[in-house]
C-alpha cells in the first residue's frame, strides 16, 4: 500500500486514487503533516483531518458512512531550529504534523465513483527477465470494523479493502499495518490461484507500518516461494515495485530508480524512520507489496507516496533495515514492542554565539531543550545539556551523523537501530565539562495515544455522563472545532508526567432527569472526582465504584463543576442504558480489578496511587 502526504497549506501527499462522492462513506484514516507536503496512509480507513496523515495505499470497498483522518506522531516543523528527541526536526507538538500530512496507500477501495489513477509507469510482468519471484507476492483482502470513538460502546459499519503482501518463509507473510488495521477477517490469494485463504495477524507494528501474517492452510504453502532480502540500495539503483493496485485484478509491476534515502516521516505510525524514496509509480493497493532490485532481492515494502502539484512520482519504501528490526523484535519478545526513543526534544547548534554561550568549543552537538518525564533520559539528562556523541559517533551541529561513505543522516537513525531496553552511551557537555552517560531506550508513550490497543475504547457511564480517554482517533472523529483548542493544545504539546497518565474527558451527556442542566456539556477534561485528581479512566472508575459519599462531584477544566446525587445516579443508570440501547455501562477492560501502583508524580514530587 502506498502512502500519500497532504499539506494543509501548500501541497499534499495523496493517493492517486481520489474518493470524492464516496469519501463520506469511508472509515477514518491518518493524515500526517510535514512541511510543504503531507503523507497519508490510506490502508483501511480514510480520514480527512487537515493536519494528520491518512493511510491510503490499499484499495478498499467501504460500506461505512464516515470519513476520518488519523494523526501521525513524530512530525517536525520545517524551518524551525529545534528538533525532536531522536533526530527529528524540532517539534514540541508531539503528535501533530505541522505543515504537511502523510497518507499511506495500502488498500484499494472498491466500487468507488470518480476514481482516477496513474498507470503511466506500469509494465507487464512478462517484460521482466525473471518473474519467478513474483509468485511470492499475494493479494490481501481485509474486512475492517472500526470502533466508534464518539459512541465507544459500539462499532462503525464494516468495510473491505485490498492490498498486497509477500511470503518471507517460515509460514509467514509481510504487509503494511494499515492494510489490516481493525481487521475482523484477513484473506490472501496467491498469483494465478482462485482460492482465498484465511490469514491471521501475528504482530502489528504501528510505528513502522508493518504487519506479520500467517496462514494455517497447508494447501496455501504448496509450491510457495519466499523472497530473499537484499542490502540497502544506493542512489540511482533500479527498483521494481510489485503488487495489486487499482486498475485491475492481476499483479502489477512498476519500475523506477532510488531517488533518496533518509529518515522519513511514516504517515501511519508515530516515528520517523529510515525510508527509501523512489520514482516508480505506487498506487492504492500497492501497500504491503515488495520492491525489488535488479537481482530479484527484496529491498523493502511499498507503503506511501507524496502527491502535490509541484512534484510527481515520489513514492516511499520501508527499507529492509526497518523490516529486519521489526522481525528481530518479534522473535526476541514473542510480540512487537516498538522502536525506542531517546525521550528528548533538541535544538540545532548552528549559531556560533549559542555554542560559545554553552561552552561548546567545536562545531557539533545538539541542545537538550526538553526531557520527557517518564523516559530514562529524565534520570540522567538535564535541559541545557549538549549531546555531542551517540555510541561514540559524533553528532553534527545540525543533528546529523555520518551515513555510509559520503552522506549524513539525522541521528534519529542511530536510535532506531536500537531495541527497547538497549543502553545508549551519550557524550554530553554540561556547564562546559565533557562527560559520558548511559541511557536506557524505550518506546515513547504518548499522553494522547495515536492508536488504541484492543477492540474497544475505554468508557464508563454514570447518570448519563459518558467518560472516555482522549485519543487522536477521537479527535479525528469529533473534529477539532468540537474538541476545542485547549484539548488540542494538550494533545499536541503536553507530556505524560508519570506512567499510566491519560487525559479523561466527558464526551457527552445522555439526557435524563438525573442530569438536568448538564445536557450541553461535552468534550471537557475532568480533573478531579470528589477532590481526588484523576490519573486515567481506570482510576476514575475505581473512585466511582468505591465512593460512599452522598454526592458525586466532578471538577472540569476552567473550574466547571457537576454534582450528582449518588443514589439517584445509580438508580437512573438502567433506564439510560435501555433508552439509548447501550449494552453495558462500562467497557470490558474497566470490569477488571483496579491495580494500585506507586509512582512519583514529578509535578507534585510525591508518591501517589494510580
Amino acid at each position: 500500500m502506498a502512502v500519500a502526504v497532504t499539506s494543509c497549506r501548500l501541497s499534499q501527499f495523496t493517493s492517486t486514487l481520489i474518493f470524492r462522492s464516496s469519501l463520506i462513506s469511508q472509515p477514518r484514516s491518518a493524515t500526517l503533516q510535514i512541511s510543504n507536503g503531507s503523507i497519508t496512509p490510506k490502508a483501511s480507513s480514510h480520514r480527512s483531518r487537515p493536519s494528520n496523515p491518512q493511510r491510503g495505499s490499499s484499495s478498499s470497498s467501504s460500506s461505512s458512512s464516515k470519513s476520518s483522518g488519523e494523526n501521525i506522531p513524530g512530525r517536525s516543523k520545517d524551518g524551525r531550529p529545534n528538533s525532536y528527541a531522536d533526530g527529528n526536526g524540532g517539534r514540541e507538538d508531539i503528535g501533530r504534523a505541522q505543515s504537511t500530512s502523510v497518507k499511506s496507500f495500502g488498500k484499494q477501495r472498491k466500487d468507488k465513483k470518480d476514481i482516477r489513477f496513474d498507470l503511466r509507469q506500469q509494465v507487464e510482468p512478462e517484460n521482466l527477465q525473471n518473474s519467478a519471484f513474483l509468485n511470492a507476492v499475494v493479494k490481501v483482502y481485509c474486512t475492517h470494523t472500526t470502533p466508534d470513538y464518539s459512541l465507544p460502546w459500539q462499532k462503525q459499519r464494516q468495510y473491505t479493502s485490498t492490498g498486497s503482501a509477500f511470503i518471507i518463509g517460515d509460514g509467514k507473510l509481510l504487509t503494511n499495518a494499515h492494510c489490516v488495521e481493525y481487521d475482523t477477517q484477513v484473506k490472501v490469494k496467491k498469483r494465478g490461484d482462485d482460492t482465498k485463504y484465511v490469514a491471521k495477524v501475528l504482530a502489528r507494528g504501528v510505528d513502522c507500518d508493518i504487519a506479520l501474517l500467517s496462514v494455517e492452510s497447508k494447501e496455501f504453502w504448496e509450491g510457495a516461494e519466499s523472497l530473499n532480502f537484499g542490502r540497502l540500495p544506493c542512489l540511482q539503483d533500479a527498483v521494481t515495485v510489485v503488487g495489486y493496485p487499482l486498475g485491475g485484478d492481476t499483479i502489477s509491476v512498476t519500475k523506477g530508480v532510488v531517488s533518496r534515502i533518509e529518515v522519513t516521516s511514516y504517515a501511519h505510525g508515530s516515528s520517523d524512520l529510515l525510508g527509501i524514496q523512489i520514482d516508480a509509480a505506487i498506487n492504492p493497493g500497492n501497500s504491503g507489496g515488495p520492491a525489488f532490485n535488479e537481482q530479484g532481492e527484496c529491498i523493502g515494502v511499498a507503503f506511501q507516496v507524496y502527491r502535490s502539484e509541484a512534484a510527481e512520482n515520489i513514492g516511499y519504501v520501508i527499507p529492509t533495515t526497518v523490516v529486519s528490526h521489526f522481525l528481530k523484535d518479534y522473535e526476541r519478545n514473542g510480540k512487537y514492542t516498538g522502536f525506542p526513543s531517546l525521550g528528548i526534544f533538541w535544538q540545532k547548534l548552528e549559531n556560533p554565539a549559542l555554542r560559545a554561550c554553552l561552552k561548546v568549543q567545536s562545531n557539533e552537538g545538539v541542545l537538550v531543550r526538553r526531557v520527557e518525564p517518564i523516559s530514562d533520559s529524565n534520570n540522567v539528562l538535564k535541559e541545557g545539556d549538549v549531546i555531542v556523541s551517540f555510541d561514540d559517533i559524533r553528532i553534527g551541529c545540525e543533528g546529523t551523523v555520518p551515513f555510509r561513505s559520503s552522506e549524513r543522516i539525522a541521528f534519529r537513525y542511530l536510535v532506531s537501530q536500537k531495541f527497547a531496553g538497549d543502553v545508549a552511551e551519550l557524550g554530553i557537555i554540561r556547564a562546559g565539562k565533557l562527560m559520558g552517560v548511559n541511557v536506557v531506550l524505550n518506546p515513547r508513550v504518548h499522553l494522547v495515544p495515536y492508536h488504541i490497543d484492543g477492540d474497544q475504547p475505554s468508557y464508563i457511564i454514570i447518570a448519563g455522563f459518558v467518560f472516555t480517554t482522549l485519543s487522536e482517533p477521537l479527535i479525528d472523529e469529533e473534529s477539532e472545532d468540537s474538541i476545542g483548542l485547549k484539548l488540542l493544545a494538550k494533545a499536541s504539546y503536553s507530556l505524560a508526567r508519570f506512567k499510566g497518565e491519560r487525559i479523561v474527558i466527558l464526551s457527552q451527556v445522555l439526557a435524563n432527569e438525573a442530569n438536568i442542566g448538564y445536557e450541553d456539556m461535552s468534550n471537557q477534561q475532568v480533573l478531579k472526582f470528589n477532590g481526588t485528581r484523576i490519573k486515567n479512566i481506570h482510576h476514575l472508575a475505581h473512585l466511582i465504584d468505591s465512593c460512599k459519599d452522598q454526592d458525586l462531584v466532578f471538577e472540569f477544566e476552567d473550574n466547571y463543576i457537576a454534582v450528582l446525587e449518588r443514589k439517584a445516579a445509580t438508580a437512573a443508570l438502567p433506564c439510560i442504558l435501555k433508552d439509548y440501547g447501550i449494552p453495558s455501562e462500562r467497557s470490558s477492560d474497566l470490569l477488571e480489578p483496579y491495580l494500585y501502583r506507586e509512582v512519583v508524580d514529578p509535578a507534585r514530587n510525591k508518591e501517589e496511587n494510580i
Side-chain angles (χ1 to χ4, degrees):
M1 302 181 167
V3 176
V5 181
T6 307
S7 170
C8 52
R9 296 178 182 175
L10 301 179
S11 57
Q12 65 181 175
F13 282 110
T14 56
S15 159
T16 52
L17 172 64
I18 298 180
F19 304 101
R20 295 178 180 169
S21 61
S22 62
L23 182 61
I24 298 178
S25 65
Q26 310 256 356
R28 57 183 78 68
S29 64
T31 55
L32 165 66
Q33 289 185 340
I34 309 173
S35 63
N36 301 332
S38 64
I39 300 173
T40 307
K42 297 180 182 177
S44 53
S45 53
H46 295 278
R47 306 185 185 179
S48 52
R49 277 193 76 210
S51 59
N52 297 328
Q54 296 179 341
R55 314 177 268 296
S57 197
S58 61
S59 65
S60 68
S61 160
S62 171
S63 56
S64 166
S65 60
K66 293 185 179 181
S67 72
S68 55
E70 296 178 358
N71 289 346
I72 300 182
R75 300 286 161 237
S76 60
K77 298 181 179 180
D78 291 355
R80 290 182 58 188
N82 303 331
S83 298
Y84 172 61
D86 322 355
N88 301 336
R91 52 167 161 43
E92 215 168 300
D93 99 348
I94 314 175
R96 294 183 174 271
Q98 300 304 324
S99 56
T100 64
S101 64
V102 179
K103 298 180 181 179
S104 54
F105 287 159
K107 311 169 181 180
Q108 296 179 348
R109 309 245 172 193
K110 301 177 182 177
D111 301 330
K112 300 301 177 185
K113 298 180 181 179
D114 198 3
I115 296 177
R116 59 183 172 85
F117 44 87
D118 185 2
L119 300 177
R120 289 175 296 177
Q121 296 188 39
Q122 295 189 358
V123 298
E124 294 299 324
E126 289 76 12
N127 292 341
L128 298 174
Q129 293 182 353
N130 183 6
S131 62
F133 59 83
L134 297 182
N135 295 328
V137 185
V138 303
K139 190 169 185 176
V140 177
Y141 300 82
C142 186
T143 302
H144 314 259
T145 307
T146 305
D148 192 325
Y149 291 90
S150 298
L151 304 174
W153 51 85
Q154 67 184 30
K155 293 190 176 184
Q156 299 183 22
R157 187 174 181 180
Q158 72 177 23
Y159 65 98
T160 62
S161 70
T162 64
S164 305
F166 58 94
I167 300 170
I168 61 172
D170 195 25
K172 297 181 178 63
L173 305 92
L174 278 183
T175 187
N176 283 145
H178 71 260
C179 293
V180 292
E181 186 180 30
Y182 302 124
D183 65 286
T184 51
Q185 185 184 69
V186 179
K187 295 179 290 185
V188 295
K189 185 174 71 172
K190 293 191 294 184
R191 179 191 181 199
D193 196 351
D194 60 354
T195 303
K196 298 176 184 176
Y197 300 88
V198 175
K200 177 183 178 182
V201 179
L202 298 178
R204 203 186 328 256
V206 173
D207 52 359
C208 60
D209 201 1
I210 301 175
L212 186 65
L213 310 179
S214 68
V215 177
E216 295 183 357
S217 174
K218 295 182 179 179
E219 182 181 352
F220 174 83
W221 297 105
E222 293 179 1
E225 301 181 24
S226 60
L227 298 182
N228 297 319
F229 289 115
R231 61 171 177 80
L232 191 67
C234 298
L235 298 182
Q236 291 189 328
D237 280 0
V239 60
T240 301
V241 177
V242 181
Y244 293 86
L246 286 178
D249 294 327
T250 58
I251 200 165
S252 171
V253 179
T254 60
K255 283 189 173 184
V257 298
V258 174
S259 306
R260 179 183 292 151
I261 299 177
E262 64 180 1
V263 173
T264 302
S265 295
Y266 279 47
H268 179 69
S270 59
S271 295
D272 290 352
L273 302 172
L274 191 67
I276 302 173
Q277 179 183 319
I278 63 175
D279 67 353
I282 297 179
N283 295 300
N286 270 125
S287 286
F292 297 99
N293 58 21
E294 291 183 312
Q295 290 72 43
E297 299 170 324
C298 176
I299 62 166
V301 185
F303 76 119
Q304 65 188 28
V305 299
Y306 178 94
R307 299 295 184 194
S308 77
E309 295 179 357
E312 294 182 356
N313 300 328
I314 298 179
Y316 293 93
V317 171
I318 303 171
T320 52
T321 52
V322 175
V323 174
S324 297
H325 188 287
F326 170 85
L327 294 175
K328 289 179 181 177
D329 188 350
Y330 177 77
E331 292 174 0
R332 285 184 178 186
N333 304 290
K335 61 179 181 179
Y336 178 70
T337 61
F339 282 80
S341 167
L342 187 53
I344 65 169
F345 295 88
W346 55 267
Q347 177 179 340
K348 298 177 182 180
L349 289 182
E350 295 178 283
N351 187 276
L354 177 58
R355 292 198 300 270
C357 179
L358 296 170
K359 300 179 181 180
V360 179
Q361 304 299 324
S362 56
N363 185 20
E364 62 182 357
V366 294
L367 173 64
V368 177
R369 60 186 180 86
R370 197 176 181 190
V371 183
E372 295 183 13
I374 63 175
S375 68
D376 186 65
S377 294
N378 193 47
N379 301 322
V380 294
L381 295 178
K382 298 180 180 179
E383 294 180 5
D385 287 347
V386 176
I387 303 176
V388 295
S389 68
F390 185 98
D391 283 348
D392 294 327
I393 299 177
R394 309 302 291 183
I395 300 175
C397 64
E398 289 187 317
T400 60
V401 294
F403 181 63
R404 300 201 287 198
S405 59
S406 59
E407 302 171 78
R408 295 190 69 84
I409 196 169
F411 86 92
R412 171 69 178 87
Y413 169 71
L414 299 180
V415 181
S416 68
Q417 297 298 101
K418 298 281 190 175
F419 290 88
D422 286 355
V423 177
E425 298 179 7
L426 302 181
I428 67 172
I429 296 177
R430 178 179 296 169
K433 296 181 179 180
L434 180 64
M435 62 180 68
V437 296
N438 293 330
V439 176
V440 179
L441 304 176
N442 284 297
R444 183 162 176 268
V445 178
H446 299 275
L447 176 63
V448 178
Y450 286 88
H451 294 266
I452 299 295
D453 296 330
D455 297 330
Q456 184 182 35
S458 299
Y459 75 92
I460 183 171
I461 301 174
I462 181 71
F465 281 40
V466 181
F467 295 99
T468 188
T469 300
L470 182 65
S471 64
E472 286 291 346
L474 175 60
I475 294 175
D476 294 338
E477 193 169 290
E478 286 288 303
S479 82
E480 294 183 353
D481 293 338
S482 174
I483 290 294
L485 293 178
K486 285 195 174 182
L487 288 181
L488 288 175
K490 289 186 177 183
S492 298
Y493 299 102
S494 295
L495 299 173
R497 297 166 299 171
F498 51 87
K499 292 182 179 179
E501 183 181 18
R502 291 289 185 272
I503 294 177
V504 181
I505 66 170
L506 172 63
S507 176
Q508 61 178 307
V509 177
L510 306 175
N512 183 268
E513 292 182 359
N515 55 49
I516 290 178
Y518 303 129
E519 300 91 339
D520 294 333
M521 297 181 66
S522 65
N523 293 329
Q524 291 181 262
Q525 181 182 2
V526 55
L527 302 177
K528 295 181 180 180
F529 173 77
N530 282 6
T532 301
R533 181 166 291 273
I534 296 169
K535 311 302 178 183
N536 50 51
I537 195 166
H538 293 77
H539 184 222
L540 174 61
H542 170 73
L543 293 176
I544 293 175
D545 292 342
S546 59
C547 178
K548 303 299 182 183
D549 297 341
Q550 179 179 350
D551 294 326
L552 308 178
V553 182
F554 299 93
E555 298 179 43
F556 299 90
E557 193 82 89
D558 296 330
N559 296 323
Y560 279 94
I561 296 178
V563 180
L564 300 172
E565 202 278 318
R566 181 171 60 86
K567 291 184 178 179
T570 302
L573 186 58
C575 179
I576 293 174
L577 297 180
K578 180 180 178 181
D579 289 345
Y580 290 91
I582 303 174
S584 176
E585 49 94 17
R586 67 183 65 191
S587 55
S588 58
D589 59 322
L590 299 186
L591 296 174
E592 301 176 359
Y594 177 73
L595 300 178
Y596 287 94
R597 182 162 51 87
E598 296 290 337
V599 298
V600 176
D601 183 343
R604 295 172 179 75
N605 194 27
K606 64 181 181 179
E607 299 285 336
E608 297 189 67
N609 289 326
I610 68 168

